[in-house]
Amino acid sequence: MKNLKKLLAVGISLVLLLALAACGQTAEDPASGEVESDGKIVIYSPNEDYLIDFYLEKLNAEFPDYDITIEYDSTGKLAAKLAAEGAETDCDIILGMSYSYLDSLRDQLAPIDFVDDSIFMEDLLQADQKYIPWDRFSGATIVNTEILAEKGLPVPTSYQDLLDPQYAGLIEMPNPTASSSGYLFLKCLVNAWGEEEAFAYFDQLDANILKYTDSGSGPIKDLEAGECAIGLSLTFNAVESINAGAPLEIIFFEEGAPYSPTGCAIIAGHEADSAVQEVFSFLFSGVQDEYLATYLPEQVKVDQKTEIANFPADIPYADMSNDTPDVKTALLDKWEH
């Protein structure tokens, strides 16, 4: 009878394990709290295509047996998608999303306690460890010096200069409601001048705007193509273009360079997946240093030593304080262009 009971117990255990496997579920390791994974990892990232290719090359080389995909869209669209999908999202990891958008998703994120955060600059850390610093990027006014010279126009030296009718139809900027890069410029001037004056300024600037782009790199692409002469865009994108031979110049106005850190996060409920932990950890141990050294040297890590040709030294960062989700929502609700 005892042997029969043992056989029945073993049989029941096998049936349960098979049922879990058939349903695509994972089995938990009681000792570690981790769960075994099917090796399928979905990452959402607003980073550009060439960066996604860079990430995938590193990740696929390290994890050849995993099925890793990175889904791209603009920051605002990805954040909206994650908010709508909620706990049902297929996303496991968010890579390179601005802090303000990560803040808006905070309730959907898992605490990350398996990455050593002491290696990062203190001003970038989160007390609840809901996301880990990935990079820090700044914005600037970028001009195509050849286009300005052809049109006999001076290089602007201030935001007020951009209101001059001589620049009509020659300026582009990212749409703040679609791009975190565009929002940086709005928040920068709100902090520098006050909300009323900043919005009045953008209302006037609209007369000279050729296009509002959906991504932060949009104005750079059009500057390279000669479709516009002035772009409010990202410093690192401009440096890449300059190093590729484009006749661009980076200008920081008196108000300073708007900037934002971005971070990486794990969707709550996915943090115990062993493959998710492995991939997430490798992003910081095997990808981030080379990424920063190659593309974006603005300081994120305490011991970071990176240099890129033509990258501005001693960037005069603007006041970007009070950048909370509520403040951002209120400002974007007022944006009408």
Side-chain angles (χ1 to χ4, degrees):
M1 181 65 69
K2 289 183 178 179
N3 288 337
L4 180 58
K5 288 181 178 179
K6 288 181 180 180
L7 288 172
L8 285 172
V10 170
I12 291 171
S13 297
L14 287 172
V15 169
L16 289 173
L17 287 172
L18 288 171
L20 284 171
C23 293
Q25 298 178 1
T26 54
E28 183 172 349
D29 177 357
S32 66
E34 295 182 0
V35 295
E36 296 177 3
S37 174
D38 60 6
K40 183 176 182 180
I41 307 295
V42 178
I43 300 172
Y44 283 5
S45 178
N47 289 173
E48 302 297 328
D49 289 346
Y50 68 95
L51 292 178
I52 289 176
D53 290 342
F54 170 79
Y55 301 147
L56 284 174
E57 181 181 357
K58 297 294 180 184
L59 292 172
N60 289 332
E62 181 70 13
F63 305 106
D65 296 329
Y66 290 173
D67 178 12
I68 301 174
T69 59
I70 300 181
E71 181 174 331
Y72 164 82
D73 211 326
S74 67
T75 307
K77 290 179 180 178
L78 281 181
K81 182 177 182 180
L82 284 164
E85 291 173 343
E88 302 303 316
T89 183
D90 291 330
C91 177
D92 298 298
I93 295 170
I94 305 170
L95 171 57
M97 181 175 283
S98 66
Y99 274 23
S100 56
Y101 278 96
L102 288 171
D103 275 336
S104 72
L105 298 168
R106 188 177 290 274
D107 291 344
Q108 291 178 241
L109 308 179
I112 301 163
D113 57 7
F114 55 88
V115 173
D116 178 13
D117 63 5
S118 67
I119 64 175
F120 300 108
M121 298 295 290
E122 187 174 355
D123 65 315
L124 299 179
L125 298 178
Q126 301 298 302
D128 60 3
Q129 296 181 295
K130 286 293 187 79
Y131 43 89
I132 304 294
W134 183 246
D135 60 33
R136 186 200 304 256
F137 64 91
S138 63
T141 300
I142 319 298
V143 301
N144 184 314
T145 54
E146 288 187 356
I147 297 296
L148 289 179
E150 288 173 5
K151 294 181 177 296
L153 297 175
V155 172
T157 61
S158 69
Y159 282 111
Q160 293 302 323
D161 284 351
L162 300 184
L163 299 180
D164 193 309
Q166 66 184 334
Y167 297 121
L170 297 177
I171 302 173
E172 291 189 7
M173 70 172 287
N175 189 326
T177 62
S179 166
S180 58
S181 303
Y183 172 72
L184 291 183
F185 288 95
L186 172 60
K187 187 67 172 81
C188 172
L189 294 191
V190 166
N191 281 7
W193 301 342
E195 190 172 317
E196 183 176 348
E197 184 176 347
F199 274 95
Y201 171 80
F202 284 109
D203 286 343
Q204 295 177 68
L205 183 65
D206 183 66
N208 285 352
I209 293 290
L210 171 66
K211 182 197 302 181
Y212 294 98
T213 63
D214 285 338
S215 70
S217 64
I220 295 292
K221 295 175 182 177
D222 288 344
L223 282 164
E224 288 179 334
E227 295 177 11
C228 67
I230 301 169
L232 304 184
S233 193
L234 298 176
T235 306
F236 79 93
N237 284 146
V239 171
E240 290 168 358
S241 294
I242 291 170
N243 289 341
L248 306 186
E249 181 180 342
I250 300 169
I251 305 168
F252 299 113
F253 293 150
E254 179 182 353
E255 291 76 7
Y259 77 95
S260 174
T262 78
C264 297
I266 298 175
I267 300 298
H270 299 223
E271 69 276 14
D273 186 306
S274 58
V276 171
Q277 286 199 18
E278 285 183 72
V279 169
F280 192 90
S281 296
F282 181 71
L283 285 171
F284 291 94
S285 64
V287 179
Q288 187 181 34
D289 286 346
E290 185 175 348
Y291 160 69
L292 294 173
T294 306
Y295 298 105
L296 195 60
E298 297 185 49
Q299 191 163 22
V300 173
K301 292 186 172 182
V302 174
D303 297 327
Q304 183 179 334
K305 297 287 188 294
T306 53
E307 294 183 2
I308 293 178
N310 292 309
F311 207 100
D314 302 320
I315 294 174
Y317 291 114
D319 172 18
M320 300 298 290
S321 60
N322 194 33
D323 188 16
T324 66
D326 289 345
V327 168
K328 182 171 187 174
T329 298
L331 291 177
L332 293 182
D333 282 347
K334 293 184 65 174
W335 183 265
E336 297 179 348
H337 304 297

